[in-house]
Amino acid sequence: MTATRAPKLGERVVAPFGRRSCEITRNLASGGYRIFSALDAAGPEPAAGQFYMLAAESGWGADMGRPYLARAFSVADAERQAGGVRLDFLAQAIGPGTDRLASLEPGDRLWITGPLGRPFAAPADVSPDAAGAILVGGGIGVAPLAIWRRQLRRAGIPARVLLGFRDRENSGGLDLFDCSEIRLASDDGHTGHRGFVTDLLAVLLEGDDVQSAAVYACGPPAMLEVVRTLCADRGVACELAMEAPMACGYGACFGCAIPTSDGGYMRLCVDGPVVRGEEIQTALVPGSGH
Ligand SMILES: Cc1cc2nc3c(=O)[nH]c(=O)nc-3n(C[C@H](O)[C@H](O)[C@H](O)COP(=O)(O)OP(=O)(O)OC[C@H]3O[C@@H](n4cnc5c(N)ncnc54)[C@H](O)[C@@H]3O)c2cc1C
Ligand code: FES
Protein backbone atom coordinates (compact mmCIF):
# COMPACT_ATOMS: atom_id res chain seq x y z
CA MET A 1 0.00 0.00 0.00
CA THR A 2 1.30 3.49 -0.80
CA ALA A 3 0.36 6.90 0.53
CA THR A 4 -0.85 8.07 -2.89
CA ARG A 5 -4.00 6.05 -3.47
CA ALA A 6 -6.42 8.67 -2.15
CA PRO A 7 -9.14 9.79 -4.58
CA LYS A 8 -9.09 13.27 -6.09
CA LEU A 9 -10.85 16.09 -4.22
CA GLY A 10 -14.61 15.74 -4.62
CA GLU A 11 -14.39 12.09 -5.72
CA ARG A 12 -16.32 9.59 -3.61
CA VAL A 13 -15.20 6.14 -2.55
CA VAL A 14 -17.41 3.10 -3.07
CA ALA A 15 -17.38 0.44 -0.35
CA PRO A 16 -18.33 -3.23 -0.83
CA PHE A 17 -22.11 -3.65 -0.62
CA GLY A 18 -23.65 -4.83 2.65
CA ARG A 19 -22.16 -5.78 6.00
CA ARG A 20 -19.68 -8.56 6.70
CA SER A 21 -19.25 -10.74 9.74
CA CYS A 22 -15.71 -10.79 11.18
CA GLU A 23 -14.04 -12.66 14.00
CA ILE A 24 -12.45 -10.69 16.82
CA THR A 25 -8.82 -11.80 17.15
CA ARG A 26 -7.57 -9.67 20.04
CA ASN A 27 -8.51 -7.00 22.56
CA LEU A 28 -5.89 -5.31 24.69
CA ALA A 29 -5.52 -2.24 26.86
CA SER A 30 -3.63 0.73 25.45
CA GLY A 31 -3.44 3.37 28.18
CA GLY A 32 -7.02 4.34 28.96
CA TYR A 33 -8.27 3.03 25.58
CA ARG A 34 -8.69 -0.47 24.09
CA ILE A 35 -7.25 -1.81 20.83
CA PHE A 36 -9.37 -4.54 19.29
CA SER A 37 -8.71 -6.38 16.03
CA ALA A 38 -11.03 -8.14 13.60
CA LEU A 39 -10.19 -10.38 10.65
CA ASP A 40 -12.05 -9.19 7.54
CA ALA A 41 -12.05 -12.26 5.28
CA ALA A 42 -13.63 -10.65 2.21
CA GLY A 43 -13.04 -6.89 2.30
CA PRO A 44 -10.37 -4.72 0.66
CA GLU A 45 -7.51 -3.03 2.52
CA PRO A 46 -8.68 0.35 3.80
CA ALA A 47 -6.86 3.64 3.23
CA ALA A 48 -5.82 5.84 6.15
CA GLY A 49 -8.62 8.18 7.25
CA GLN A 50 -11.41 5.80 6.24
CA PHE A 51 -13.85 4.38 8.77
CA TYR A 52 -16.15 1.40 9.33
CA MET A 53 -19.61 1.14 10.87
CA LEU A 54 -19.33 -1.47 13.63
CA ALA A 55 -21.89 -3.49 15.58
CA ALA A 56 -21.30 -6.51 17.80
CA GLU A 57 -23.23 -9.57 16.65
CA SER A 58 -24.39 -10.31 20.20
CA GLY A 59 -25.28 -7.94 23.04
CA TRP A 60 -26.26 -5.21 20.55
CA GLY A 61 -29.73 -3.68 20.90
CA ALA A 62 -29.75 -4.98 24.47
CA ASP A 63 -30.96 -2.97 27.52
CA MET A 64 -33.53 -0.31 26.50
CA GLY A 65 -32.70 -1.09 22.85
CA ARG A 66 -29.26 0.61 23.01
CA PRO A 67 -26.89 0.34 21.30
CA TYR A 68 -29.15 -0.04 18.26
CA LEU A 69 -27.37 1.59 15.31
CA ALA A 70 -23.84 0.66 14.26
CA ARG A 71 -21.09 3.00 15.49
CA ALA A 72 -18.52 4.81 13.31
CA PHE A 73 -14.88 3.84 13.94
CA SER A 74 -11.72 5.00 12.18
CA VAL A 75 -9.39 2.23 11.14
CA ALA A 76 -6.21 2.56 13.23
CA ASP A 77 -4.17 -0.02 11.36
CA ALA A 78 -4.68 -2.76 8.75
CA GLU A 79 -2.53 -5.56 7.43
CA ARG A 80 -3.25 -8.23 4.84
CA GLN A 81 -2.50 -11.65 6.32
CA ALA A 82 -3.55 -15.27 5.97
CA GLY A 83 -7.35 -15.42 5.92
CA GLY A 84 -8.02 -11.76 5.14
CA VAL A 85 -7.25 -8.23 6.30
CA ARG A 86 -6.57 -7.62 9.99
CA LEU A 87 -8.32 -4.42 11.03
CA ASP A 88 -7.24 -2.65 14.24
CA PHE A 89 -9.56 -0.22 16.00
CA LEU A 90 -8.87 2.04 18.97
CA ALA A 91 -11.85 2.45 21.29
CA GLN A 92 -12.69 4.98 23.95
CA ALA A 93 -15.65 3.64 25.93
CA ILE A 94 -18.01 6.58 26.46
CA GLY A 95 -21.48 5.09 25.98
CA PRO A 96 -23.38 1.86 25.27
CA GLY A 97 -21.98 1.26 21.76
CA THR A 98 -18.34 1.97 22.52
CA ASP A 99 -18.65 0.09 25.86
CA ARG A 100 -19.85 -3.03 24.03
CA LEU A 101 -17.20 -2.78 21.29
CA ALA A 102 -14.44 -2.22 23.85
CA SER A 103 -15.54 -5.39 25.66
CA LEU A 104 -15.42 -7.73 22.63
CA GLU A 105 -13.32 -10.84 23.24
CA PRO A 106 -11.33 -13.04 20.84
CA GLY A 107 -13.77 -15.40 19.12
CA ASP A 108 -16.69 -12.94 19.34
CA ARG A 109 -18.23 -11.79 16.05
CA LEU A 110 -18.49 -8.25 14.73
CA TRP A 111 -20.56 -6.81 11.88
CA ILE A 112 -18.58 -4.34 9.78
CA THR A 113 -19.58 -2.07 6.88
CA GLY A 114 -16.79 -0.38 4.97
CA PRO A 115 -14.19 0.86 4.40
CA LEU A 116 -16.18 4.11 4.10
CA GLY A 117 -15.42 7.73 3.30
CA ARG A 118 -12.69 9.83 1.80
CA PRO A 119 -9.18 9.07 3.09
CA PHE A 120 -6.14 11.29 3.57
CA ALA A 121 -4.32 12.41 0.41
CA ALA A 122 -0.54 12.37 0.02
CA PRO A 123 1.20 15.68 0.87
CA ALA A 124 2.00 16.46 -2.78
CA ASP A 125 -1.70 16.03 -3.64
CA VAL A 126 -2.73 18.40 -0.85
CA SER A 127 -0.17 21.05 -1.81
CA PRO A 128 2.33 20.95 -4.71
CA ASP A 129 5.12 22.25 -2.43
CA ALA A 130 4.54 19.69 0.30
CA ALA A 131 7.06 16.86 0.50
CA GLY A 132 6.49 15.92 4.15
CA ALA A 133 3.72 15.68 6.71
CA ILE A 134 2.92 16.98 10.17
CA LEU A 135 0.42 14.75 12.00
CA VAL A 136 -1.54 16.29 14.87
CA GLY A 137 -3.73 14.03 17.02
CA GLY A 138 -5.87 14.69 20.06
CA GLY A 139 -7.37 12.02 22.34
CA ILE A 140 -9.11 9.17 20.53
CA GLY A 141 -8.37 11.13 17.31
CA VAL A 142 -4.89 9.60 17.26
CA ALA A 143 -6.45 6.45 15.72
CA PRO A 144 -6.42 7.34 11.98
CA LEU A 145 -3.03 9.03 12.30
CA ALA A 146 -1.40 5.74 13.36
CA ILE A 147 -2.22 4.00 10.07
CA TRP A 148 -1.43 7.19 8.13
CA ARG A 149 2.01 7.38 9.80
CA ARG A 150 2.68 3.78 8.80
CA GLN A 151 1.55 4.31 5.19
CA LEU A 152 3.62 7.51 4.87
CA ARG A 153 6.68 5.68 6.18
CA ARG A 154 6.19 2.88 3.62
CA ALA A 155 5.99 5.51 0.88
CA GLY A 156 9.22 7.13 2.14
CA ILE A 157 7.46 10.38 3.10
CA PRO A 158 8.85 12.05 6.26
CA ALA A 159 6.34 12.84 9.00
CA ARG A 160 6.50 14.62 12.34
CA VAL A 161 3.96 13.43 14.91
CA LEU A 162 2.39 15.61 17.61
CA LEU A 163 -0.11 13.95 19.97
CA GLY A 164 -2.05 15.50 22.84
CA PHE A 165 -4.21 14.05 25.62
CA ARG A 166 -6.43 15.50 28.32
CA ASP A 167 -5.10 13.34 31.17
CA ARG A 168 -3.77 9.83 31.83
CA GLU A 169 -7.24 8.24 31.78
CA ASN A 170 -8.15 9.86 28.46
CA SER A 171 -5.02 8.80 26.62
CA GLY A 172 -3.72 5.77 24.74
CA GLY A 173 -2.98 4.32 21.34
CA LEU A 174 0.76 5.07 21.41
CA ASP A 175 1.39 1.33 20.84
CA LEU A 176 -0.07 1.77 17.36
CA PHE A 177 2.67 4.19 16.26
CA ASP A 178 5.71 2.51 14.77
CA CYS A 179 8.03 5.36 15.67
CA SER A 180 9.63 6.86 18.72
CA GLU A 181 9.80 10.41 17.37
CA ILE A 182 6.47 11.52 18.79
CA ARG A 183 6.11 14.85 20.61
CA LEU A 184 3.51 14.65 23.35
CA ALA A 185 1.38 17.21 25.13
CA SER A 186 -1.11 16.80 27.96
CA ASP A 187 -3.55 19.24 29.49
CA ASP A 188 -2.65 18.10 33.03
CA GLY A 189 1.10 17.81 32.40
CA HIS A 190 1.33 14.06 33.15
CA THR A 191 3.37 13.60 29.96
CA GLY A 192 5.22 15.89 27.54
CA HIS A 193 4.41 19.57 27.16
CA ARG A 194 1.85 20.83 29.69
CA GLY A 195 -0.76 22.42 27.47
CA PHE A 196 -2.45 21.81 24.15
CA VAL A 197 -0.95 19.87 21.26
CA THR A 198 -1.73 22.90 19.11
CA ASP A 199 0.94 24.80 21.12
CA LEU A 200 3.49 22.38 19.62
CA LEU A 201 2.01 22.86 16.15
CA ALA A 202 2.18 26.66 16.48
CA VAL A 203 5.92 26.42 17.20
CA LEU A 204 6.49 24.08 14.22
CA LEU A 205 4.55 26.40 11.94
CA GLU A 206 6.96 29.24 12.81
CA GLY A 207 9.70 27.39 10.89
CA ASP A 208 10.86 28.74 7.53
CA ASP A 209 10.41 25.38 5.79
CA VAL A 210 6.82 24.95 6.88
CA GLN A 211 5.27 25.32 3.41
CA SER A 212 7.08 22.10 2.48
CA ALA A 213 4.72 20.11 4.73
CA ALA A 214 1.01 19.33 4.77
CA VAL A 215 -0.74 19.10 8.13
CA TYR A 216 -3.09 16.18 8.94
CA ALA A 217 -5.20 16.36 12.10
CA CYS A 218 -7.84 14.39 13.97
CA GLY A 219 -9.19 15.18 17.40
CA PRO A 220 -11.85 17.13 19.25
CA PRO A 221 -13.59 19.94 17.32
CA ALA A 222 -11.93 22.73 19.32
CA MET A 223 -8.48 21.29 18.52
CA LEU A 224 -9.33 20.90 14.83
CA GLU A 225 -10.57 24.48 14.65
CA VAL A 226 -7.26 25.77 16.09
CA VAL A 227 -5.34 23.60 13.58
CA ARG A 228 -7.51 24.90 10.73
CA THR A 229 -7.00 28.58 11.65
CA LEU A 230 -3.27 28.22 12.43
CA CYS A 231 -2.72 26.59 9.03
CA ALA A 232 -4.84 29.18 7.23
CA ASP A 233 -2.87 32.02 8.89
CA ARG A 234 0.46 30.46 7.85
CA GLY A 235 -0.69 29.46 4.34
CA VAL A 236 -0.11 25.77 5.11
CA ALA A 237 -2.38 23.15 3.52
CA CYS A 238 -4.22 20.89 5.96
CA GLU A 239 -6.57 17.94 6.00
CA LEU A 240 -8.85 17.32 8.97
CA ALA A 241 -10.44 13.96 9.83
CA MET A 242 -13.74 15.11 11.31
CA GLU A 243 -16.55 13.57 13.33
CA ALA A 244 -20.27 14.17 13.29
CA PRO A 245 -23.12 12.05 14.62
CA MET A 246 -23.45 9.25 12.02
CA ALA A 247 -26.56 7.09 11.95
CA CYS A 248 -25.97 5.29 8.64
CA GLY A 249 -22.41 6.02 7.44
CA TYR A 250 -23.25 5.87 3.72
CA GLY A 251 -25.15 9.03 2.80
CA ALA A 252 -28.77 8.08 3.50
CA CYS A 253 -29.76 9.88 6.73
CA PHE A 254 -28.14 13.34 6.37
CA GLY A 255 -27.38 13.28 10.11
CA CYS A 256 -23.74 14.13 9.46
CA ALA A 257 -24.28 17.25 7.28
CA ILE A 258 -21.96 20.17 8.02
CA PRO A 259 -21.74 23.65 6.43
CA THR A 260 -19.14 24.17 3.71
CA SER A 261 -17.20 27.35 3.03
CA ASP A 262 -19.14 27.98 -0.22
CA GLY A 263 -22.43 28.25 1.67
CA GLY A 264 -23.64 24.71 1.02
CA TYR A 265 -23.49 21.50 3.01
CA MET A 266 -21.58 18.25 2.80
CA ARG A 267 -22.34 14.84 4.29
CA LEU A 268 -19.25 13.97 6.26
CA CYS A 269 -19.70 10.21 5.80
CA VAL A 270 -19.43 10.36 1.99
CA ASP A 271 -17.72 13.73 1.31
CA GLY A 272 -15.41 13.27 4.36
CA PRO A 273 -14.59 12.33 7.03
CA VAL A 274 -11.30 13.81 5.75
CA VAL A 275 -11.81 17.36 4.50
CA ARG A 276 -9.45 20.11 3.39
CA GLY A 277 -9.24 23.05 5.80
CA GLU A 278 -10.53 25.47 3.15
CA GLU A 279 -13.60 23.31 2.36
CA ILE A 280 -15.39 24.00 5.66
CA GLN A 281 -16.65 27.08 7.48
CA THR A 282 -15.61 25.74 10.88
CA ALA A 283 -14.52 22.52 12.54
CA LEU A 284 -16.81 23.30 15.49
CA VAL A 285 -19.52 20.81 14.47
CA PRO A 286 -22.57 20.78 16.78
CA GLY A 287 -23.14 17.40 18.47
CA SER A 288 -19.66 16.09 17.80
CA GLY A 289 -16.72 15.55 20.13
CA HIS A 290 -16.62 14.01 23.54
C1 LIG B 1 -15.85 9.02 11.28
C2 LIG B 1 -15.82 8.69 12.75
C3 LIG B 1 -14.77 7.95 13.27
C4 LIG B 1 -14.76 7.62 14.65
N1 LIG B 1 -13.69 6.90 15.11
C5 LIG B 1 -13.68 6.51 16.41
C6 LIG B 1 -12.63 5.69 16.90
O1 LIG B 1 -11.70 5.32 16.18
N2 LIG B 1 -12.68 5.30 18.21
C7 LIG B 1 -13.70 5.69 19.05
O2 LIG B 1 -13.68 5.30 20.23
N3 LIG B 1 -14.71 6.48 18.61
C8 LIG B 1 -14.73 6.89 17.32
N4 LIG B 1 -15.75 7.69 16.85
C9 LIG B 1 -16.78 8.15 17.80
C10 LIG B 1 -17.78 7.06 18.05
O3 LIG B 1 -18.44 6.69 16.85
C11 LIG B 1 -18.83 7.59 19.06
O4 LIG B 1 -18.16 7.89 20.25
C12 LIG B 1 -19.87 6.53 19.31
O5 LIG B 1 -20.76 6.49 18.23
C13 LIG B 1 -20.62 6.79 20.57
O6 LIG B 1 -21.54 5.73 20.75
P1 LIG B 1 -21.93 5.23 22.19
O7 LIG B 1 -23.15 4.37 22.07
O8 LIG B 1 -20.76 4.63 22.90
O9 LIG B 1 -22.27 6.55 22.99
P2 LIG B 1 -23.55 7.49 22.80
O10 LIG B 1 -24.42 7.31 24.00
O11 LIG B 1 -24.13 7.38 21.45
O12 LIG B 1 -22.80 8.90 22.91
C14 LIG B 1 -22.12 9.26 24.11
C15 LIG B 1 -21.66 10.69 23.98
O13 LIG B 1 -20.77 10.83 22.85
C16 LIG B 1 -21.26 11.81 21.94
N5 LIG B 1 -21.17 11.25 20.59
C17 LIG B 1 -21.97 10.34 20.01
N6 LIG B 1 -21.60 10.09 18.75
C18 LIG B 1 -20.54 10.87 18.51
C19 LIG B 1 -19.72 11.09 17.38
N7 LIG B 1 -19.92 10.48 16.21
N8 LIG B 1 -18.72 11.95 17.50
C20 LIG B 1 -18.49 12.56 18.66
N9 LIG B 1 -19.24 12.42 19.75
C21 LIG B 1 -20.25 11.60 19.67
C22 LIG B 1 -22.70 12.08 22.31
O14 LIG B 1 -22.95 13.45 22.14
C23 LIG B 1 -22.77 11.67 23.75
O15 LIG B 1 -22.51 12.76 24.59
C24 LIG B 1 -15.81 8.04 15.50
C25 LIG B 1 -16.87 8.78 14.97
C26 LIG B 1 -16.87 9.11 13.62
C27 LIG B 1 -18.01 9.89 13.06
S1 FES C 1 -24.26 9.28 8.45
FE1 FES C 1 -26.11 9.10 7.34
S2 FES C 1 -25.81 10.56 5.71
FE2 FES C 1 -23.91 10.58 6.76
Side-chain angles (χ1 to χ4, degrees), residues 53 67 109 138 140 156-157 162 175 178 191 196 202 229 242 274:
M53 297 301 286
R109 311 265 337 158
I140 194 67
I157 296 172
L162 313 175
D175 322 71
D178 64 344
T191 186
F196 295 143
T229 50
M242 307 236 326
V274 175

PDB file of all heavy atoms in Angstrom, residues 53 67 109 138 140 156-157 162 175 178 191 196 202 229 242 274:
ATOM      1  N   MET A  53     -18.498   1.169   9.918  1.00  0.00           N
ATOM      2  CA  MET A  53     -19.614   1.139  10.866  1.00  0.00           C
ATOM      3  C   MET A  53     -19.572  -0.234  11.537  1.00  0.00           C
ATOM      4  O   MET A  53     -19.561  -1.269  10.851  1.00  0.00           O
ATOM      5  CB  MET A  53     -20.950   1.361  10.145  1.00  0.00           C
ATOM      6  CG  MET A  53     -21.081   2.722   9.465  1.00  0.00           C
ATOM      7  SD  MET A  53     -20.920   4.163  10.548  1.00  0.00           S
ATOM      8  CE  MET A  53     -22.471   4.142  11.433  1.00  0.00           C
ATOM      9  N   PRO A  67     -27.058  -0.371  22.555  1.00  0.00           N
ATOM     10  CA  PRO A  67     -26.894   0.340  21.297  1.00  0.00           C
ATOM     11  C   PRO A  67     -27.715  -0.313  20.197  1.00  0.00           C
ATOM     12  O   PRO A  67     -27.813  -1.535  20.153  1.00  0.00           O
ATOM     13  CB  PRO A  67     -25.398   0.194  21.023  1.00  0.00           C
ATOM     14  CG  PRO A  67     -25.027  -1.099  21.682  1.00  0.00           C
ATOM     15  CD  PRO A  67     -25.898  -1.221  22.880  1.00  0.00           C
ATOM     16  N   ARG A 109     -18.023 -12.194  17.442  1.00  0.00           N
ATOM     17  CA  ARG A 109     -18.226 -11.786  16.051  1.00  0.00           C
ATOM     18  C   ARG A 109     -18.680 -10.334  15.993  1.00  0.00           C
ATOM     19  O   ARG A 109     -19.378  -9.830  16.871  1.00  0.00           O
ATOM     20  CB  ARG A 109     -19.282 -12.671  15.346  1.00  0.00           C
ATOM     21  CG  ARG A 109     -19.076 -14.155  15.504  1.00  0.00           C
ATOM     22  CD  ARG A 109     -18.345 -14.887  14.433  1.00  0.00           C
ATOM     23  NE  ARG A 109     -18.239 -14.402  13.094  1.00  0.00           N
ATOM     24  CZ  ARG A 109     -17.253 -14.810  12.280  1.00  0.00           C
ATOM     25  NH1 ARG A 109     -16.323 -15.647  12.698  1.00  0.00           N
ATOM     26  NH2 ARG A 109     -17.193 -14.380  11.050  1.00  0.00           N
ATOM     27  N   GLY A 138      -5.397  14.379  18.714  1.00  0.00           N
ATOM     28  CA  GLY A 138      -5.870  14.687  20.063  1.00  0.00           C
ATOM     29  C   GLY A 138      -6.793  13.591  20.553  1.00  0.00           C
ATOM     30  O   GLY A 138      -7.740  13.201  19.866  1.00  0.00           O
ATOM     31  N   ILE A 140      -8.818  10.353  21.335  1.00  0.00           N
ATOM     32  CA  ILE A 140      -9.108   9.170  20.527  1.00  0.00           C
ATOM     33  C   ILE A 140      -8.838   9.452  19.038  1.00  0.00           C
ATOM     34  O   ILE A 140      -8.709   8.529  18.229  1.00  0.00           O
ATOM     35  CB  ILE A 140     -10.564   8.688  20.771  1.00  0.00           C
ATOM     36  CG1 ILE A 140     -10.781   7.286  20.220  1.00  0.00           C
ATOM     37  CG2 ILE A 140     -11.583   9.672  20.222  1.00  0.00           C
ATOM     38  CD1 ILE A 140     -10.011   6.207  20.924  1.00  0.00           C
ATOM     39  N   GLY A 156       7.984   6.345   2.033  1.00  0.00           N
ATOM     40  CA  GLY A 156       9.217   7.131   2.135  1.00  0.00           C
ATOM     41  C   GLY A 156       8.971   8.609   2.347  1.00  0.00           C
ATOM     42  O   GLY A 156       9.825   9.441   2.017  1.00  0.00           O
ATOM     43  N   ILE A 157       7.793   8.966   2.884  1.00  0.00           N
ATOM     44  CA  ILE A 157       7.460  10.378   3.101  1.00  0.00           C
ATOM     45  C   ILE A 157       7.697  10.722   4.573  1.00  0.00           C
ATOM     46  O   ILE A 157       7.127  10.078   5.460  1.00  0.00           O
ATOM     47  CB  ILE A 157       5.989  10.646   2.707  1.00  0.00           C
ATOM     48  CG1 ILE A 157       5.812  10.400   1.206  1.00  0.00           C
ATOM     49  CG2 ILE A 157       5.566  12.063   3.088  1.00  0.00           C
ATOM     50  CD1 ILE A 157       4.372  10.456   0.732  1.00  0.00           C
ATOM     51  N   LEU A 162       2.700  14.876  16.381  1.00  0.00           N
ATOM     52  CA  LEU A 162       2.387  15.608  17.615  1.00  0.00           C
ATOM     53  C   LEU A 162       1.080  15.047  18.158  1.00  0.00           C
ATOM     54  O   LEU A 162       0.060  15.063  17.457  1.00  0.00           O
ATOM     55  CB  LEU A 162       2.201  17.108  17.329  1.00  0.00           C
ATOM     56  CG  LEU A 162       3.250  17.801  16.447  1.00  0.00           C
ATOM     57  CD1 LEU A 162       2.829  19.254  16.171  1.00  0.00           C
ATOM     58  CD2 LEU A 162       4.616  17.767  17.136  1.00  0.00           C
ATOM     59  N   ASP A 175       0.880   2.621  21.330  1.00  0.00           N
ATOM     60  CA  ASP A 175       1.387   1.327  20.842  1.00  0.00           C
ATOM     61  C   ASP A 175       1.173   1.163  19.339  1.00  0.00           C
ATOM     62  O   ASP A 175       1.802   0.317  18.712  1.00  0.00           O
ATOM     63  CB  ASP A 175       0.657   0.161  21.533  1.00  0.00           C
ATOM     64  CG  ASP A 175       0.387   0.443  22.995  1.00  0.00           C
ATOM     65  OD1 ASP A 175      -0.480   1.301  23.280  1.00  0.00           O
ATOM     66  OD2 ASP A 175       1.030  -0.181  23.823  1.00  0.00           O
ATOM     67  N   ASP A 178       4.482   3.278  14.952  1.00  0.00           N
ATOM     68  CA  ASP A 178       5.707   2.509  14.767  1.00  0.00           C
ATOM     69  C   ASP A 178       6.923   3.429  14.784  1.00  0.00           C
ATOM     70  O   ASP A 178       7.850   3.278  14.025  1.00  0.00           O
ATOM     71  CB  ASP A 178       5.647   1.724  13.449  1.00  0.00           C
ATOM     72  CG  ASP A 178       5.577   2.642  12.241  1.00  0.00           C
ATOM     73  OD1 ASP A 178       5.266   3.829  12.420  1.00  0.00           O
ATOM     74  OD2 ASP A 178       5.841   2.182  11.121  1.00  0.00           O
ATOM     75  N   THR A 191       2.350  14.004  30.942  1.00  0.00           N
ATOM     76  CA  THR A 191       3.371  13.604  29.964  1.00  0.00           C
ATOM     77  C   THR A 191       3.613  14.749  28.983  1.00  0.00           C
ATOM     78  O   THR A 191       2.697  15.503  28.655  1.00  0.00           O
ATOM     79  CB  THR A 191       2.941  12.322  29.202  1.00  0.00           C
ATOM     80  OG1 THR A 191       4.011  11.893  28.359  1.00  0.00           O
ATOM     81  CG2 THR A 191       1.702  12.547  28.354  1.00  0.00           C
ATOM     82  N   PHE A 196      -1.790  22.429  25.303  1.00  0.00           N
ATOM     83  CA  PHE A 196      -2.450  21.811  24.153  1.00  0.00           C
ATOM     84  C   PHE A 196      -1.439  21.377  23.087  1.00  0.00           C
ATOM     85  O   PHE A 196      -0.402  22.018  22.902  1.00  0.00           O
ATOM     86  CB  PHE A 196      -3.455  22.778  23.536  1.00  0.00           C
ATOM     87  CG  PHE A 196      -4.607  23.110  24.445  1.00  0.00           C
ATOM     88  CD1 PHE A 196      -5.144  24.390  24.462  1.00  0.00           C
ATOM     89  CD2 PHE A 196      -5.155  22.161  25.285  1.00  0.00           C
ATOM     90  CE1 PHE A 196      -6.210  24.708  25.298  1.00  0.00           C
ATOM     91  CE2 PHE A 196      -6.222  22.461  26.123  1.00  0.00           C
ATOM     92  CZ  PHE A 196      -6.749  23.741  26.127  1.00  0.00           C
ATOM     93  N   ALA A 202       1.915  25.239  16.724  1.00  0.00           N
ATOM     94  CA  ALA A 202       2.177  26.663  16.484  1.00  0.00           C
ATOM     95  C   ALA A 202       3.678  26.909  16.386  1.00  0.00           C
ATOM     96  O   ALA A 202       4.134  27.673  15.523  1.00  0.00           O
ATOM     97  CB  ALA A 202       1.556  27.494  17.607  1.00  0.00           C
ATOM     98  N   THR A 229      -7.299  27.141  11.713  1.00  0.00           N
ATOM     99  CA  THR A 229      -7.002  28.580  11.649  1.00  0.00           C
ATOM    100  C   THR A 229      -5.487  28.841  11.656  1.00  0.00           C
ATOM    101  O   THR A 229      -5.018  29.726  10.937  1.00  0.00           O
ATOM    102  CB  THR A 229      -7.704  29.352  12.784  1.00  0.00           C
ATOM    103  OG1 THR A 229      -7.429  28.708  14.021  1.00  0.00           O
ATOM    104  CG2 THR A 229      -9.195  29.401  12.594  1.00  0.00           C
ATOM    105  N   MET A 242     -12.716  14.534  10.430  1.00  0.00           N
ATOM    106  CA  MET A 242     -13.739  15.107  11.309  1.00  0.00           C
ATOM    107  C   MET A 242     -14.732  14.053  11.774  1.00  0.00           C
ATOM    108  O   MET A 242     -14.855  12.984  11.197  1.00  0.00           O
ATOM    109  CB  MET A 242     -14.511  16.180  10.539  1.00  0.00           C
ATOM    110  CG  MET A 242     -13.590  17.195   9.916  1.00  0.00           C
ATOM    111  SD  MET A 242     -13.893  18.863  10.349  1.00  0.00           S
ATOM    112  CE  MET A 242     -15.607  19.025  10.539  1.00  0.00           C
ATOM    113  N   VAL A 274     -12.471  12.944   5.923  1.00  0.00           N
ATOM    114  CA  VAL A 274     -11.298  13.806   5.751  1.00  0.00           C
ATOM    115  C   VAL A 274     -11.688  14.953   4.828  1.00  0.00           C
ATOM    116  O   VAL A 274     -12.161  14.713   3.706  1.00  0.00           O
ATOM    117  CB  VAL A 274     -10.115  13.004   5.168  1.00  0.00           C
ATOM    118  CG1 VAL A 274      -8.942  13.941   4.876  1.00  0.00           C
ATOM    119  CG2 VAL A 274      -9.689  11.904   6.136  1.00  0.00           C
TER     120      VAL A 274
END
